[in-house]
Amino acid sequence: MSDKKIIIAVDGYSSSGKSSMARALASAIGYRYIDSGAMYRAVTLWAMRHGMVESGNVDVDALVMALPEIRINFRPNPDGTQSTMLNDEDVESEIRRMEVSNNVSQVAVIPEVRHRLVALQQDFGREKGIVMDGRDIGTTVFPDAEMKVFVSASPRTRAERRYKELIDKGVPATFEEVLENVVKRDHIDETREESPLRKADDATVLDNSEMSVGEQNEWLLSLFNSIVNAD
Ligand code: CDP
């Protein structure tokens, strides 16, 4: 394998499996993995705890004022996983709850929130050797990333995967609410003004509807190898 360190951007629809494949690739090649969605989820959790989200409506002015108080980071755990830290508190499980999923896209449309998190994400990539997944990584955060992948699958397939994941983790959810959430977030993410979810022109598309986890991980690793060994 070449020693050249690159930036890898994995974007795509909610619950498309991009986080698991991005994480697996990072661990296979010894890169750092950053889940940018976790950062939007952590800001959303903070806003919810501070009474700034009422039945899907966000108090934008109050949240924007409070942004300097919100510190987000990632902490590696001894078992190889990593936890999302919100002001030094491990919120990894809490940010995956349905209540957070139901509000996160409304928080992620706020330009000031995006500017702050994008700057933080760019900082993480300064040394390269990073795999980051999200919605706008290949378009806005790292437009010059050497490897860009855009992951897609049908809404039903994605909702089935997310439902199974939540049930396995003991997070309460019904299939119908998960499907509704997936479709709604797709819509908000694709139609927002500030860095909407969109495939970068130079991204490689992966539709993994019919692929196993092993197959998609192999696909990603061989794309990586072809890019780092190209020159
Ligand atoms: O895990 P899942 O794919 O369902 O979502 P996520 O990656 O945890 O992201 C949660 C939400 O954060 C998305 O639905 C987007 O609204 C927002 N997000 C974003 O706007 N930009 C990113 N780079 C990552 C996430």
Side-chain angles (χ1 to χ4, degrees):
M1 195 193 291
S2 148
D3 290 340
K4 189 177 88 178
K5 295 249 184 218
I6 64 167
I7 291 187
I8 302 173
V10 182
D11 287 303
Y13 289 96
S14 64
S15 318
S16 56
K18 60 188 165 15
S19 298
S20 339
M21 66 193 275
R23 194 180 298 116
L25 177 66
S27 126
I29 62 178
Y31 275 27
R32 182 161 195 207
Y33 165 66
I34 298 288
D35 175 355
S36 70
M39 300 167 78
Y40 290 93
R41 287 174 179 271
V43 172
T44 305
L45 178 64
W46 191 95
M48 288 166 68
R49 284 180 174 176
H50 288 78
M52 294 177 185
V53 186
E54 223 46 79
S55 42
N57 293 316
V58 183
D59 185 341
V60 175
D61 292 342
L63 179 55
V64 168
M65 283 273 289
L67 280 177
E69 291 171 45
I70 308 177
R71 277 179 299 111
I72 296 166
N73 217 322
F74 295 95
R75 190 197 61 196
N77 294 316
D79 65 358
T81 61
Q82 67 181 1
S83 285
T84 308
M85 307 299 290
L86 171 60
N87 293 347
D88 300 321
E89 176 193 347
D90 183 342
V91 291
E92 186 55 40
S93 311
E94 210 173 340
I95 57 170
R96 309 293 164 189
R97 283 176 25 219
M98 278 310 291
E99 289 90 330
V100 176
S101 300
N102 286 335
N103 294 316
V104 62
S105 289
Q106 288 84 331
V107 168
V109 300
I110 303 169
E112 290 85 350
V113 169
R114 302 204 70 81
H115 295 163
R116 196 171 171 87
L117 294 189
V118 167
L120 208 57
Q121 290 152 9
Q122 288 171 335
D123 257 2
F124 283 126
R126 227 166 274 291
E127 310 275 304
K128 299 217 174 188
I130 192 168
V131 185
M132 191 175 291
D133 83 309
R135 302 290 187 285
D136 60 341
I137 311 304
T139 52
T140 303
V141 181
F142 298 121
D144 297 328
E146 292 86 347
M147 171 168 162
K148 297 183 185 179
V149 177
F150 190 86
V151 193
S152 182
S154 73
R156 187 157 276 274
T157 306
R158 291 186 279 122
E160 275 164 10
R161 288 179 185 154
R162 177 52 50 92
Y163 176 66
K164 186 173 176 310
E165 189 179 283
L166 291 172
I167 297 302
D168 286 350
K169 280 191 191 157
V171 178
T174 65
F175 176 72
E176 285 67 31
E177 74 175 323
V178 173
L179 178 61
E180 194 188 325
N181 175 257
V182 161
V183 172
K184 186 168 171 211
R185 275 199 289 145
D186 285 354
H187 178 72
I188 301 177
D189 293 347
E190 282 179 313
T191 55
R192 70 172 173 237
E193 279 205 7
E194 181 89 21
S195 56
L197 168 65
R198 166 177 86 65
K199 183 186 101 55
D201 294 337
D202 51 352
T204 306
V205 176
L206 171 66
D207 184 327
N208 65 1
S209 303
E210 306 292 330
M211 270 186 179
S212 69
V213 171
E215 284 167 343
Q216 73 178 20
N217 290 349
E218 232 169 80
W219 181 93
L220 201 60
L221 188 59
S222 68
L223 181 65
F224 168 77
N225 282 326
S226 70
I227 290 173
V228 289
N229 294 321
D231 40 37

